Amino acid sequence: MGDSYTAGGFVGDPQPALGDASRDGCDRTTNAYPDVVDRELAEFPPGKPVHLTKVSCGNATIANIATAKQTPISLVQPPADGWPAVDPQVQRAHLNDQTDVVTIGVGGNSLPFGGMLLKCLELGAGGKSCRDHYINPPEGEESIEEKLARVQDEYIEMLAEVHQAAPDAKVITVGYPAVLPEKGSDCNRLSLTELGPITHADVDWLRDDVLKPLNSTIQRVSDFFGDRYADVYSSSVGHDACQPAGTKWVEGLCGDAEDYWPANLPGTLLNCGLIGKRVTLVHPNAEGHANTAAHVERAIRIALLER
């Protein structure tokens, strides 16, 4: 279960395939880490088949895991009247007292990290700071401290629901990778294949005051429930969106993606087609998913051995 960092989006063949009547707008793909793990755990231990159910959905929030329906927003072959709402992922996965292991990668959209990134892009293009915007937000908007506190409360409620639905399952939560460099100055502000006009100071703020605290929140709540936290941040440092192709495990605002993936983002000025790229909005590429898969697979093997 999880959001676009679990579903994959643009890192393989769509699941279900393009044109399939069962497509749901969630943008799951064959090279996303759940599928990589599925292939590696075909049998474990030998002679004992492992059946994995994949219900992650791009743009999912914490609430969409256990309590709230989600209306997908995929731009890939949407129906004329839009995508129908899908049930909470706990229901779609049919969790019950026979479920052995549950993995969950979610939280970013509940801030929302993507929305904050676009705000930093907009303000950076005008020479302004998004850090100032979120530390002293306009009336009616949460500060970053309030956002993180809310995310913690939502994550607690979500894990409680998951444990109730699958009382005997080992639960594994998955953190977010190092999508931002250790130094904002590593980024070329002229390059949309990195983080574009986001200021170097804002890159540092997004890393230290938003992304790292988000992972810490997920780990803290997971520890409280006695669940296993899969840290994918530490191993991905140095493979962020501002690294050169071949080193980066995360595409920038614009990046390399399969041909079916959109080249422009409706409602914004972002048009990656102008530089021969696709809209990737700082999401893991196949190498990034392979790294996450290694950590999640290890955690699942341990969980299955403990049963």
Side-chain angles (χ1 to χ4, degrees), residues 9 26 71 138 200 239 242 297:
C26 285
T71 301
H200 293 161
H239 298 280
C242 292
E297 179 192 347

Side-chain angles (χ1 to χ4, degrees), residues 236-257:
S236 58
V237 170
H239 298 280
D240 54 83
C242 292
Q243 301 304 315
T247 300
K248 64 171 62 183
W249 291 351
V250 181
E251 298 298 315
L253 297 169
C254 301
D256 295 325

Side-chain angles (χ1 to χ4, degrees), residues 111-135 141 144 147 180 189 192 194-211 253 268 270 281-282:
L111 282 174
F113 187 78
M116 295 176 69
L117 198 71
L118 289 174
K119 188 67 175 179
C120 291
L121 176 63
E122 172 194 336
L123 292 174
K128 297 180 180 179
S129 167
C130 67
R131 174 184 180 275
D132 294 343
H133 175 85
Y134 287 108
I135 288 179
E141 184 164 348
I144 183 58
K147 289 177 182 293
L180 306 171
R189 293 188 63 201
L192 289 176
E194 297 183 16
L195 300 176
I198 299 176
T199 69
H200 293 161
D202 281 346
V203 172
D204 289 332
W205 176 76
L206 284 166
R207 181 192 63 246
D208 291 337
D209 289 14
V210 182
L211 181 58
L253 297 169
T268 74
L270 188 60
L281 288 180
V282 196

Side-chain angles (χ1 to χ4, degrees), residues 183-244:
K183 294 189 300 181
S185 57
D186 288 348
C187 296
N188 177 1
R189 293 188 63 201
L190 298 178
S191 176
L192 289 176
T193 59
E194 297 183 16
L195 300 176
I198 299 176
T199 69
H200 293 161
D202 281 346
V203 172
D204 289 332
W205 176 76
L206 284 166
R207 181 192 63 246
D208 291 337
D209 289 14
V210 182
L211 181 58
K212 286 185 176 180
L214 173 61
N215 275 338
S216 294
T217 297
I218 295 171
Q219 182 172 14
R220 183 168 57 252
V221 176
S222 301
D223 289 346
F224 174 80
F225 278 88
D227 297 329
R228 184 179 298 276
Y229 172 75
D231 170 25
V232 298
Y233 188 100
S234 301
S235 59
S236 58
V237 170
H239 298 280
D240 54 83
C242 292
Q243 301 304 315

Side-chain angles (χ1 to χ4, degrees), residues 282-305:
V282 196
H283 277 69
N285 55 29
E287 290 78 10
H289 276 278
N291 179 64
T292 299
H295 292 275
V296 173
E297 179 192 347
R298 186 180 305 117
I300 292 176
R301 286 179 181 273
I302 292 171
L304 290 175
L305 287 172

